[in-house]
Amino acid sequence: MEWIDHAIWWQVYPLGFCGAPFREEDPAPAPRMRKLLAWLDYAIELGASGLLLGPVFASQTHGYDTTDQFRIDPRLGGEETFEALVSACKKRGLRILLDGVFSHVGAQHPGVVRALQEGKEDPAAELFDIDWTSGRPVPRVFEGHSSLVRLNHAGEQAANYTVAVMKHWLERGIDGWRLDAAYSISPDFWARVLPVVRADYPDAWFLGEVIHGDYSKFVAESSVDSVTQYELWKAIWSSIRDRNLFELDWALKRHNEFLANFTPHTFVGNHDVTRIASVIGADGAVSAVAILLTLGGVPSIYYGDEQGFIGIKEECLGGDDAIRPGMPDDPSLLAPWGENIYRAHQELIGLRRRHPWLVTAASEMSELDNTRCVYRAISKDRVHQLTVEISLVNKPAVVILDAAGQVLWQQY
């Protein structure tokens, strides 16, 4: 699957991006996903090679409480709307990764409702993790959320269901799957499912959402291709915010260990975390993406981060709204104040594309104190290298040099 070595994702949360209503009783169906069509050339101009899409399937509210993963959410459109997006992406050479929620479903999923009404003899009941031993059936839920009912991953129905959903959309032209909350499912479930899908779609890429734990072990036992590198995400922004580059050094040593076993998915922002510019400001955000794009991994840019968007995640109803905003109808309507940050992203992505070996590059720290460090990004065959100098003495700043010491890019 050579294409993934050149992938740079532009991550989009479609329900938010397209302005779909989240909490209305009966939201009006509309082909809102067509808004994305006006942004595809923008993604290419940014330097992205694919869209990493958040949930697009029928759901109760935010997309992760699915009610039918074989159907496009009516708030976004129908299958024709999705086909138009796939077609437009293919014409431009853009890959598509879909977000698959195979840990749980929404409590209003028709199968859950029917199983609870008809009992464990219902043919679909085995798909869900329901406690039948008490006086009444009690669904087991995902991380305490009563609206999210777990699938029964020990049974065959959950495996068959996951395979069927994956193949359904791969047949319709997507290139792989982000596996939501993959960490919450035993790796042997994925090890049963993914080889069956790969038998028909050998070029598909599978990214598991894993937050803590032994990433390499999870990859080896589950057979996913990659996992979300949250350790590096945290170290990049935290080391800049706290003026403590020793934290970055520790994370880079860990990152090298992961790169020896698989190619992690790297990022400084996504749909679940406070915007990077809200944490460390615009200068810090540019420094963060400069670090991101000079390290090994398959990187993604979260929509709006390339414009310096701000937004704070809160633990309350609607607490994700600020980090999942609607976008204008087309890029020409963006405010001009994000232009410099956008340009920096373009330049850094361009630099990475001119040095494709960076996808598997290891890093070696040569100078280090709290507010200044220098590391080298070195190709797997040790033929190529870049030097990255980070200074936090005044405002955050990064300089990138080639092997001869010539400046390739610097932060102003």
Side-chain angles (χ1 to χ4, degrees):
M1 179 196 329
E2 294 181 1
W3 65 266
I4 197 61
D5 289 342
H6 305 280
I8 296 176
W9 299 105
W10 192 46
Q11 186 190 1
V12 171
Y13 180 77
L15 289 167
F17 186 105
C18 299
F22 279 64
R23 286 174 285 277
E24 290 182 11
E25 278 282 324
D26 294 300
R32 294 180 177 89
M33 194 158 48
R34 286 191 173 276
K35 179 187 280 192
L36 275 169
L37 298 176
W39 287 82
L40 299 183
D41 291 336
Y42 170 93
I44 290 171
E45 289 164 9
L46 175 65
S49 62
L51 301 184
L52 196 172
L53 295 178
V56 297
F57 307 123
S59 71
Q60 295 166 201
T61 57
H62 47 59
Y64 292 98
D65 45 4
T66 52
T67 54
D68 188 348
Q69 288 195 93
F70 291 99
R71 183 166 65 103
I72 299 298
D73 196 306
R75 292 172 294 170
L76 294 174
E79 191 147 341
E80 286 184 7
T81 311
F82 184 73
E83 287 173 359
L85 177 62
V86 172
S87 176
C89 285
K90 287 188 177 299
K91 286 178 182 176
R92 293 164 172 80
L94 288 170
R95 302 277 180 169
I96 295 179
L97 202 70
L98 287 188
D99 207 340
V101 187
F102 303 111
S103 163
H104 52 270
V105 298
Q108 296 172 24
H109 188 288
V112 172
V113 174
R114 189 173 66 247
L116 294 177
Q117 288 175 344
E118 300 188 11
K120 62 181 177 180
E121 302 306 318
D122 181 82
E126 189 203 338
L127 178 60
F128 309 107
D129 190 359
I130 299 174
D131 180 1
W132 301 100
T133 61
S134 57
R136 58 184 181 81
V138 179
R140 295 186 176 94
V141 300
F142 174 72
E143 296 185 350
H145 299 286
S146 60
S147 62
L148 304 176
V149 175
R150 294 279 296 176
L151 298 185
N152 173 22
H153 298 98
E156 284 304 307
Q157 278 201 40
N160 294 339
Y161 163 78
T162 302
V163 168
V165 172
M166 287 184 174
K167 287 187 175 183
H168 179 86
W169 296 104
L170 284 163
E171 183 181 349
R172 282 152 180 79
I174 72 164
D175 298 282
W177 287 92
R178 175 192 178 271
L179 310 176
D180 181 68
Y183 63 85
S184 71
I185 303 170
S186 174
D188 64 14
F189 174 80
W190 301 117
R192 283 188 286 142
V193 165
L194 298 185
V196 179
V197 181
R198 284 194 181 101
D200 289 337
Y201 299 95
D203 287 333
W205 188 65
F206 298 93
L207 165 65
E209 183 193 16
V210 179
I211 300 173
H212 307 292
D214 188 333
Y215 294 164
S216 295
K217 182 180 179 184
F218 186 91
V219 170
E221 293 181 354
S222 67
S223 81
V224 299
D225 295 298
S226 185
V227 297
T228 49
Q229 223 298 36
Y230 268 96
E231 286 187 14
L232 183 64
W233 160 78
K234 195 270 180 181
I236 290 175
W237 64 257
S238 182
S239 62
I240 294 172
R241 184 194 65 182
D242 298 339
R243 301 297 196 266
N244 178 19
L245 289 167
F246 286 93
E247 181 176 358
L248 179 64
D249 179 52
W250 180 89
L252 292 185
K253 290 172 183 173
R254 290 271 294 171
H255 194 57
N256 285 340
E257 294 173 9
F258 301 143
L259 283 161
N261 297 300
F262 68 99
T263 307
H265 167 57
T266 56
F267 55 95
V268 293
N270 67 26
H271 65 293
D272 278 331
V273 301
T274 290
R275 291 274 181 179
I276 187 74
S278 288
V279 178
I280 52 178
D283 289 329
V286 172
S287 295
V289 81
I291 297 167
L292 173 75
L293 293 171
T294 53
L295 296 174
V298 178
S300 68
I301 306 297
Y302 184 50
Y303 82 99
D305 280 358
E306 77 282 355
Q307 293 284 338
F309 279 23
I310 58 174
I312 297 174
K313 179 182 175 69
E314 299 178 280
E315 298 301 326
C316 62
L317 181 64
D320 291 319
D321 292 0
I323 60 173
R324 303 173 179 180
M327 294 291 273
D329 287 341
D330 66 70
S332 69
L333 299 173
L334 286 166
W337 51 257
E339 192 170 318
N340 288 340
I341 297 175
Y342 176 76
R343 184 68 60 194
H345 277 73
Q346 280 186 313
E347 292 169 353
L348 288 161
I349 292 172
L351 184 149
R352 188 178 182 89
R353 292 215 172 281
R354 292 189 295 276
H355 300 83
W357 51 267
L358 280 166
V359 67
T360 54
S363 58
E364 293 181 0
M365 192 71 73
S366 59
E367 300 179 37
L368 176 66
D369 63 34
N370 282 76
T371 58
R372 186 179 181 278
C373 75
V374 178
Y375 66 82
R376 291 184 301 154
I378 303 172
S379 64
K380 208 168 187 179
D381 58 10
R382 301 192 71 82
V383 171
H384 308 286
Q385 72 174 51
L386 296 177
T387 298
V388 181
E389 300 178 356
I390 304 170
S391 174
L392 307 177
V393 175
N394 296 309
K395 67 178 185 178
V398 174
V399 179
I400 303 171
L401 306 100
D402 65 15
Q406 296 297 308
V407 174
L408 298 176
W409 183 88
Q410 62 183 333
Q411 184 174 356
Y412 296 99

